[in-house]
Structures are given as structure tokens and as C-alpha cells.
Amino acid sequence: MLLFSLMKRGLIASVLLLVGVCGVAGFFLYRSLITPGPPLKHPVIVFVPKGRMLRTIAQQFVSEGLLSNARLLTWWAQFTGEDRQIKSGEYLFTTPLSPLTLLHLLTSGEGLRHVVTATEGMTFRQISALLAAQGLGAEESFLCLNADPTFLAAWGLPPQGVEGYLYPDTYRFSWLTPPEEILGRMVERFYATLNSAMYRQAVALDLSMHQVMTLASIIEKETGAPTERPLVAAVFYNRLRKGMPLQSDPTVIYGIEQFDGNLTRQHLVTPTPYNTYLFRGLPPGPIASPGLESILAALHPAERDYLYFVAKGDGTHVFSSDLNTHNRAVQRFQRGHS
């Protein structure tokens, strides 16, 4: 009986000792996980490529002075299953972080993003140059996607290319984001702006959405005044119905390679698919990225009988229903201009 009692006490003591040891170990483990790494002498940027193993990433953090123990971060991530949730990207560190905070950063994908703003009326080439200037890839790497049938088909784009479908907005990209993903995200934002009512209105106008976007892009380039967009749309719709050429200068300019900013009479008589002085109807595709207001104007033109408009020189236009009235407006506002 005494022997049994001693064994029982010994077992209890062993269990208590084990619990105590585990508790102490757990305490030190938790403290290690929540303790920030060594102080940083300067901001550190770390690139995490897609598919890189966490063990390699953790070792990179140690070499950059962000972590003291790579094994601890790796072990904890494997224990919790978070090692399979690491997001690729570009991460900026300005202060020391704990292993748990680092892991959260990697699994949430809250990395460094470069802000890029594509404005209404920018062309695909201008957007490509902007992205390249931000260090997001070579300009050619974006331009080549315009003729990539696989990329175009993946995003449901017409064979003419991506022009007009890169929605003007502010975006945040990592330097590691590939060009096809960058353009894809801009196209995705375009589709997000459309709704079923817009598609129904296009059908009611007997236009494809590609034609709507083409018209919207011309409206975007013709005026920056919001109240004028439906009026410009009315002019083009009336001309299309009457079989008149659109005679839009921005379309002519779009068809000119290496345009120097000076539109000449020779340009107006030079045949290109986008010369709406020589060819009736809409050009083959959009000439820029229209904003939402221009898209809505293309879908809902004003109910006016205007056929002409001329710039006043202050960003607005004078609209006319007949040629004589238009010519008088031209004489008044364009006198002295070619």
C-alpha cells in the first residue's frame, strides 16, 4: 500500500513537472513569436517571388536583419498551416516586426504597392509608358499583349486589342506583378463598371458594346466638360443616322503614327482606318480609355438635332443643327486659327 502511494505521488510529481516544463517552454515560445526582431538601420525591401518556399524566405529575412531565428518562423507557419498561404509580392519594412506579425504580413499579402493613376482619355500606349515609368515592366512587355490572342481571349476582348478597355482609375501594383496581371486587373475594373442595364441599352441602340466603347472613347477625347458629353453623343448619333461622316479630329490623330501635335489638312485627307473624314461610320475600335461619364453619354445621348460643334477655346463648344449656323460659329470662335 505504501509502495503504491509513493508511486502515485511520483507520477503526480512527474506530471506536474512536465506541465511546468511545457508551460515554461510555451511561455518562451510565445514570447519569441511576439518579440520584434533586431532594430533596422534603414528601410528594407524584400521581394517574395511566387512559389518560393517559406524556409528560404525566412532565411532571407535573417540575412536582411529582419529575423533572428528563421527556424522558429518556419516551424510555427508549418504547425499552423500558414506556410501554404504565403502571398508573393514586394514588402517594405521600416520598423522591426515580430515573427507573428511578419507571418501575418506574408499571408495577407499586405506588401508594398506602387500607386498608378490612369486618367480618362489616355491611350493604351500612354498607359503602357506610364506603367513602365513606374518600374512595373518594360513598355514593350505591355504593348506586345495588345496583339496576344491568348491574352485577349482570356479577358473576352476583341481582336482589335485592349484599347478602350483599360479602365481609368487609381491602381496599386507591386513591382513583381507581371504585365498580363496588371493589364488584366485594369480590364477587370472596366467590366466591374458595367451592369445589365448598360448591356440592355446597347441592344436597344442596336450597338455592340465594342461600338459603344468606340463611341465613348471619341466623346471622351472631344470634350472634358461633363454636361457636353450627351450633346457630343447626340451629334455623332445624328450623323450616323444620316450617313454623314463623323469628322472627328481625335480619330484622325489616333491613326497618325508619331503625331507631332499639329493636325494639318494633309492629315485629314490621308486614308487610315481611323480617318472619320474620309470613311463613314465608326472607326474599327476605341481611340482611348473612356471614363464612366463618357460611357453613359454614349448609351444615353441627348435628344437634340445637333449635327455640328466647334470649340470656343475655353474647354466648351457651340452646337449647331445646320451648316450655316455652324459656319458662323466657326468664324466667330476659330478666326485666326488653322
Side-chain angles (χ1 to χ4, degrees), residues 114-239:
H114 299 278
V115 178
V116 178
T117 299
T119 57
E120 291 86 351
M122 291 185 73
T123 65
F124 170 55
R125 284 189 173 275
Q126 290 173 327
I127 292 174
S128 297
L130 174 65
L131 295 170
Q134 291 290 326
L136 294 168
E139 187 173 349
E140 187 58 38
S141 66
F142 295 102
L143 294 175
C144 68
L145 293 173
N146 197 47
D148 185 340
T150 302
F151 175 79
L152 298 178
W155 285 102
L157 297 174
Q160 288 88 346
V162 303
E163 188 72 88
Y165 296 94
L166 303 178
Y167 192 70
D169 206 343
T170 296
Y171 299 87
R172 290 170 174 80
F173 300 113
S174 163
W175 278 335
L176 294 180
T177 309
E180 54 269 21
E181 184 178 334
I182 290 176
L183 295 189
R185 204 177 305 174
M186 299 178 80
V187 174
E188 186 176 40
R189 190 76 57 87
F190 158 73
Y191 283 125
T193 65
L194 304 182
N195 56 46
S196 57
M198 293 180 178
Y199 284 102
R200 288 196 298 269
Q201 180 63 11
V203 172
L205 294 169
D206 196 26
L207 295 176
S208 67
M209 190 53 70
H210 182 66
Q211 291 173 314
V212 169
M213 292 305 299
T214 301
L215 186 54
S217 70
I218 302 174
I219 296 169
E220 187 68 62
K221 297 296 286 186
E222 286 284 8
T223 182
T227 57
E228 286 192 350
R229 291 184 180 118
L231 300 177
V232 172
V235 170
F236 291 140
Y237 271 104
N238 292 335
R239 282 178 165 264

Side-chain angles (χ1 to χ4, degrees), residues 11-315:
L11 180 60
I12 293 174
S14 299
V15 171
L16 291 175
L17 178 62
L18 180 61
V19 170
V21 170
C22 290
V24 171
F27 169 77
F28 282 106
L29 173 62
Y30 179 71
R31 191 173 70 172
S32 299
L33 288 169
I34 65 172
T35 300
L40 299 179
K41 296 181 180 179
H42 53 75
V44 176
I45 295 178
V46 176
F47 298 95
V48 178
K50 189 174 184 179
R52 175 164 291 182
M53 296 182 64
L54 179 59
R55 182 172 60 253
T56 306
I57 298 171
Q59 194 57 54
Q60 184 178 0
F61 283 155
V62 171
S63 64
E64 294 285 358
L66 296 166
L67 268 183
S68 299
N69 191 329
R71 290 183 179 178
L72 178 62
L73 177 68
T74 304
W75 175 83
W76 182 258
Q78 291 173 339
F79 177 74
T80 59
E82 292 175 289
D83 60 319
R84 297 185 294 274
Q85 301 172 29
I86 302 300
K87 305 290 192 304
S88 62
E90 178 187 7
Y91 296 86
L92 171 65
F93 302 95
T94 57
T95 58
L97 302 177
S98 69
L100 284 184
T101 304
L102 274 174
L103 188 58
H104 171 74
L105 198 65
L106 292 171
T107 56
S108 65
E110 297 174 3
L112 179 62
R113 295 291 184 267
H114 299 278
V115 178
V116 178
T117 299
T119 57
E120 291 86 351
M122 291 185 73
T123 65
F124 170 55
R125 284 189 173 275
Q126 290 173 327
I127 292 174
S128 297
L130 174 65
L131 295 170
Q134 291 290 326
L136 294 168
E139 187 173 349
E140 187 58 38
S141 66
F142 295 102
L143 294 175
C144 68
L145 293 173
N146 197 47
D148 185 340
T150 302
F151 175 79
L152 298 178
W155 285 102
L157 297 174
Q160 288 88 346
V162 303
E163 188 72 88
Y165 296 94
L166 303 178
Y167 192 70
D169 206 343
T170 296
Y171 299 87
R172 290 170 174 80
F173 300 113
S174 163
W175 278 335
L176 294 180
T177 309
E180 54 269 21
E181 184 178 334
I182 290 176
L183 295 189
R185 204 177 305 174
M186 299 178 80
V187 174
E188 186 176 40
R189 190 76 57 87
F190 158 73
Y191 283 125
T193 65
L194 304 182
N195 56 46
S196 57
M198 293 180 178
Y199 284 102
R200 288 196 298 269
Q201 180 63 11
V203 172
L205 294 169
D206 196 26
L207 295 176
S208 67
M209 190 53 70
H210 182 66
Q211 291 173 314
V212 169
M213 292 305 299
T214 301
L215 186 54
S217 70
I218 302 174
I219 296 169
E220 187 68 62
K221 297 296 286 186
E222 286 284 8
T223 182
T227 57
E228 286 192 350
R229 291 184 180 118
L231 300 177
V232 172
V235 170
F236 291 140
Y237 271 104
N238 292 335
R239 282 178 165 264
L240 289 171
R241 277 193 287 265
K242 290 179 176 291
M244 298 171 63
L246 297 185
Q247 294 185 320
S248 169
D249 290 355
T251 64
V252 178
I253 292 171
Y254 185 80
I256 301 172
E257 291 190 17
Q258 307 299 326
F259 179 64
D260 62 4
N262 181 33
L263 186 64
T264 66
R265 292 186 181 276
Q266 183 60 40
H267 288 141
L268 299 182
V269 296
T270 300
T272 76
Y274 291 87
N275 191 329
T276 54
Y277 280 83
L278 297 180
F279 303 106
R280 301 175 191 275
L282 291 169
I287 61 172
S289 291
L292 180 59
E293 293 300 321
S294 291
I295 298 173
L296 292 174
L299 289 168
H300 302 281
E303 295 183 4
R304 302 293 181 87
D305 61 354
Y306 295 145
L307 291 171
Y308 309 91
F309 59 90
V310 61
K312 294 167 60 177
D314 62 357

